[in-house]
C-alpha cells in the first residue's frame, strides 16, 4: 500500500483479471474489422461546447456528469464522456464526409463521467464504439446491431437481450412531442421532472422511478405517431434483423439519454448485473452533424460498455479464451548458464513461444518455485555441466520427467511438444 489509492469511482485493471478486458475489447473489435470499419482515435478531451451541443444541454451527461477544466491558457475543456461527438468532429475536420460514403469507423478507449459510483457504474470506464457516417440505409442500422450481437455471442454470452425502438424524425417527432407533453403536464411530478417536460419530454419516459413509471401507463407512444417513411424504415430494419437470426424485443418506451437520436434506437441489456442492465446502446443520429456546425450528414452508431460486459461474463461464469500464458520458464544456475538461457528465452519468444526467466539470480529452489507459479508447461534448467555438454535439461512440470536436449534442437523440440500438428 502506498499513501495513494485509485480515485473514487475508478479501479485498476490488474493481471490476471485484466486479460478479460482485453478479450472483451478484441471480441467487440473483430466483427467491425471484418465489416470494413477503420480505426479512429481522438483526444481524451475536447472543448466543452462540443459535448454540450453534441450530447445535449438537457442531458444528465452534460448537466451533471462532465469533468470540465479551464486550462492555463483559458480554454474550457471536458474529459470526453462519450465517443460519438468526438468521432464526428474528427471526421468532419478531416473532410472524410467529402470522400466515398458511407464512412465506417470504430474506436476503443476510456470515458469519464462524474457519476455516483456503484457496481457497473464508474467515473472512468471503457467503451468500444462504431459509427457509420453519410448514409441513410436501414441495412446499416441492421449491420451495426448484428455486429454488436455477434460480438456478445462470440464471447459466449447468452443473457444479452436487444431492445429496439424508433424515435421518428423531423417529420413526425414534433407532433408526438407535443402530444406527450400534453399528457405529461397532467401528471403528478416533481419540479425537476416538470422542467424536463418542457425541455426534453421524451426523457421522462426513461425515468427509472416506480412512482413515475406507474403514471406513464397510457402515455402516447412514438410508434403510434411514426410517419410513413419512418414506419417503412423501421420495418426494414426489423426484417433484416430477423433475417440474420437476431431476436429483439420492441420497447416503445426506449428513448436513450441523448438528444440527437432519430429513428432507430436500441439498447443491449443483461439481467445479471444488479442495478445496471445496459451493456451497450446506440442508434441513428441524423441531426448531430448540424448541431455541431457541420453539414447535414445522416449517421448511425453504437457504444458498448467493456466494464459491464466483463461483469456479464462473470455473471454467466464464462472465462473468455485468453492469450497463452507462460509456456516455458528458464532457471539458470551460474553466470554462464544465465547468459545462455537468456539467449534461449529470446530465441523462443521470437519463435512464438511464451517464455519467461528466473530473474534476480534466485538459485535452483526459488527458480523452480517461480517456474511452478508461472503456470508454464516446461522448465529449462542449465548449469555449468550441461553447458559443457552443449545441452539444457528440459523438465515437464506436470509429470516431473526431465531429459537433456541439445541446445541447437531445443526450439524445434519445444515447438513440437507445445504445438503438435493435428493428426
Ligand atoms: P446508463 O443508462 O446505465 O447510465 P447510458 O445510457 O448513460 O447508460 P451510454 O451513454 O449509452 O450509456 O453508453 C454506452 C454504454 O457504456 C452503456 O450501455 C454502458 O455499458 C457503458 N457505460 C455508460 N456509463 C457507464 C459508467 N458510468 N460506468 C460503466 N459503464 C458505463
Ligand atoms: Mg448514464
Amino acid at each position: 500500500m502506498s499513501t495513494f489509492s485509485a480515485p473514487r469511482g475508478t479501479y485498476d485493471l490488474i493481471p490476471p483479471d485484466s486479460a478479460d478486458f482485453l478479450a472483451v475489447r478484441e471480441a467487440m473489435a473483430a466483427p467491425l474489422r471484418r465489416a470494413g470499419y477503420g480505426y479512429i482515435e481522438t483526444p481524451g478531451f475536447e472543448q466543452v461546447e462540443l459535448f454540450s451541443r453534441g450530447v445535449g444541454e438537457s442531458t444528465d451527461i452534460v448537466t451533471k456528469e462532465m469533468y470540465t477544466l479551464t486550462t492555463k491558457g483559458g480554454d474550457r475543456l471536458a474529459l470526453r464522456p462519450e465517443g460519438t461527438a468526438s468521432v464526428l468532429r474528427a471526421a468532419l475536420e478531416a473532410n472524410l464526409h467529402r470522400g466515398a460514403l458511407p464512412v465506417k469507423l470504430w474506436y476503443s478507449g476510456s470515458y469519464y463521467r462524474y457519476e455516483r459510483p456503484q457496481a457497473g457504474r464508474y467515473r472512468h470506464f471503457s467503451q468500444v464504439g462504431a459509427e457509420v457516417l453519410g448514409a441513410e440505409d436501414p441495412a446499416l442500422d441492421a449491420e451495426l446491431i448484428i455486429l454488436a450481437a455477434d460480438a456478445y455471442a462470440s464471447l459466449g454470452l447468452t443473457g444479452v437481450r436487444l431492445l429496439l425502438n424508433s424515435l421518428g424524425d423531423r417529420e413526425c417527432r414534433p407532433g408526438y412531442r407535443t402530444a406527450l407533453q400534453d399528457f405529461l403536464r397532467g401528471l403528478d411530478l416533481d419540479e425537476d421532472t416538470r422542467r424536463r417536460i418542457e425541455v426534453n419530454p421524451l426523457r421522462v419516459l426513461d425515468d427509472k422511478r416506480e412512482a413515475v413509471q406507474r403514471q406513464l401507463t397510457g402515455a402516447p407512444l412514438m410508434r403510434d405517431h411514426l410517419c410513413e417513411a419512418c414506419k417503412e424504415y423501421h420495418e426494414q430494419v426489423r426484417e433484416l434483423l430477423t433475417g440474420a437470426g437476431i431476436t429483439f424485443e420492441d420497447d416503445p418506451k426506449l428513448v436513450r439519454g441523448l438528444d440527437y437520436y432519430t429513428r432507430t434506437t436500441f439498447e443491449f441489456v443483461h439481467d445479471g448485473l444488479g442495478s445496471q442492465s445496459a451493456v451497450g446502446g446506440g442508434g441513428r443520429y441524423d441531426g448531430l452533424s448540424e448541431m455541431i456546425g457541420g453539414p447535414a450528414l445522416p449517421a448511425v452508431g453504437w457504444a458498448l460498455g467493456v466494464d459491464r460486459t466483463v461483469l456479464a461474463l462473470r455473471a454467466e461464469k464464462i472465462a473468455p479464451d485468453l492469450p497463452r500464458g507462460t509456456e516455458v520458464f528458464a532457471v539458470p544456475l551460474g553466470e554462464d548458464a544465465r547468459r545462455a538461457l537468456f539467449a534461449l528465452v529470446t530465441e523462443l519468444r521470437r519463435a512464438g513461444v511464451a517464455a519467461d526467466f528466473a530473474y534476480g539470480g534466485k538459485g535452483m529452489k526459488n527458480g523452480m518455485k517461480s517456474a511452478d507459479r508461472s503456470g508454464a508447461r516446461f522448465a529449462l534448467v542449465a548449469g555449468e555441466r550441461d553447458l559443457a555438454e552443449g545441452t539444457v535439461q528440459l523438465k515437464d512440470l506436470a509429470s516431473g520427467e526431465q531429459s537433456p536436449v541439445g541446445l541447437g534442437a531445443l526450439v524445434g523440440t519445444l515447438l513440437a511438444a507445445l504445438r503438435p500438428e493435428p493428426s
Side-chain angles (χ1 to χ4, degrees):
M1 197 61 189
S2 78
T3 321
F4 304 102
S5 52
R8 189 166 139 73
T10 73
Y11 63 104
D12 304 303
L13 299 181
I14 307 280
D17 291 354
S18 51
D20 293 351
F21 281 76
L22 286 181
V24 165
R25 286 199 187 105
E26 179 51 30
M28 290 171 171
L32 296 168
R33 283 195 292 258
R34 285 196 293 269
Y37 289 68
Y39 179 69
I40 183 168
E41 198 163 318
T42 63
F45 49 81
E46 299 270 356
Q47 288 174 54
V48 173
E49 275 287 290
L50 174 69
F51 299 121
S52 43
R53 283 163 65 180
V55 177
E57 297 278 5
S58 68
T59 58
D60 284 350
I61 292 183
V62 169
T63 54
K64 300 184 199 145
E65 299 173 1
M66 235 173 3
Y67 282 89
T68 55
L69 60 114
T70 305
T71 66
K72 292 195 178 78
D75 292 331
R76 293 262 302 142
L77 301 177
L79 300 186
R80 58 183 183 189
E82 57 103 50
T84 304
S86 308
V87 167
L88 186 54
R89 194 266 310 136
L92 293 172
E93 194 171 330
N95 277 319
L96 298 187
H97 60 296
R98 293 187 205 274
L101 297 177
V103 179
K104 294 184 179 186
L105 301 166
W106 76 276
Y107 60 86
S108 172
S110 294
Y111 296 85
Y112 307 87
R113 294 184 194 176
Y114 191 74
E115 305 222 48
R116 203 164 60 76
Q118 47 194 297
R121 189 174 293 286
Y122 312 105
R123 291 179 172 178
H124 166 267
F125 59 98
S126 294
Q127 291 184 338
V128 171
E131 318 285 353
V132 180
L133 313 177
E136 194 164 20
D137 182 338
L140 284 173
D141 307 43
E143 167 176 299
L144 276 166
I145 293 173
I146 292 166
L147 293 172
D150 286 354
Y152 293 125
S154 76
L155 285 163
L157 287 167
T158 54
V160 176
R161 292 183 294 124
L162 167 61
L163 311 178
L164 185 68
N165 193 21
S166 170
L167 296 181
D169 64 2
R170 282 171 222 229
E171 204 47 44
C172 51
R173 187 136 95 220
Y176 169 65
R177 194 175 186 274
T178 309
L180 180 63
Q181 282 176 321
D182 288 345
F183 173 87
L184 294 173
R185 287 189 193 115
L187 302 184
D188 176 23
L189 298 167
D190 60 279
E191 204 41 39
D192 257 6
T193 314
R194 297 199 146 275
R195 218 170 300 127
R196 187 167 294 163
I197 296 173
E198 306 312 318
V199 196
N200 192 347
L202 268 71
R203 282 197 49 237
V204 180
L205 295 179
D206 202 22
D207 202 309
K208 302 286 187 293
R209 289 169 299 180
E210 175 58 31
V212 178
Q213 277 304 322
R214 213 176 323 117
Q215 299 186 68
L216 291 175
T217 342
L221 296 173
M222 187 67 233
R223 76 168 166 213
D224 302 320
H225 289 74
L226 291 178
C227 59
E228 276 314 307
C230 283
K231 231 185 263 174
E232 163 66 17
Y233 193 97
H234 197 54
E235 209 33 60
Q236 283 197 46
V237 174
R238 299 173 83 255
E239 274 168 26
L240 290 165
L241 291 177
T242 305
I246 305 286
T247 41
F248 54 86
E249 299 161 34
D250 291 306
D251 181 352
K253 285 197 183 133
L254 180 71
V255 294
R256 305 194 31 78
L258 311 178
D259 280 350
Y260 49 67
Y261 285 96
T262 53
R263 289 194 170 169
T264 313
T265 189
F266 53 89
E267 195 157 80
F268 290 93
V269 295
H270 192 283
D271 297 322
L273 309 186
S275 46
Q276 262 61 246
S277 65
V279 289
R284 184 156 276 287
Y285 51 92
D286 292 345
L288 178 59
S289 174
E290 287 158 287
M291 207 108 74
I292 62 168
L297 190 71
V300 55
W302 51 238
L304 310 184
V306 176
D307 310 71
R308 287 188 199 168
T309 303
V310 169
L311 295 180
L313 284 173
R314 298 203 174 129
E316 292 196 26
K317 300 198 170 21
I318 297 171
D321 272 343
L322 297 178
R324 281 185 211 108
T326 303
E327 297 173 294
V328 178
F329 198 96
V331 182
L333 301 171
E335 200 44 41
D336 289 344
R338 191 174 140 79
R339 262 184 268 269
L341 284 193
F342 186 78
L344 273 177
V345 162
T346 301
E347 198 184 337
L348 282 168
R349 288 175 179 163
R350 288 181 177 153
V353 175
D356 209 347
F357 188 75
Y359 296 100
K362 286 188 169 157
M364 182 67 172
K365 195 160 159 232
N366 281 332
M368 288 311 287
K369 231 188 244 169
S370 302
D372 280 329
R373 227 179 280 135
S374 77
R377 224 183 109 193
F378 294 103
L380 290 181
V381 186
E384 308 285 303
R385 217 179 48 218
D386 301 299
L387 290 182
E389 288 169 12
T391 62
V392 295
Q393 300 293 325
L394 180 61
K395 182 171 182 181
D396 184 323
L397 288 169
S399 68
E401 272 171 49
Q402 183 171 318
S403 52
V405 179
L407 283 173
L410 186 76
V411 173
T413 305
L414 276 170
L415 278 174
L418 290 164
R419 322 247 190 280
E421 299 283 327
S423 49

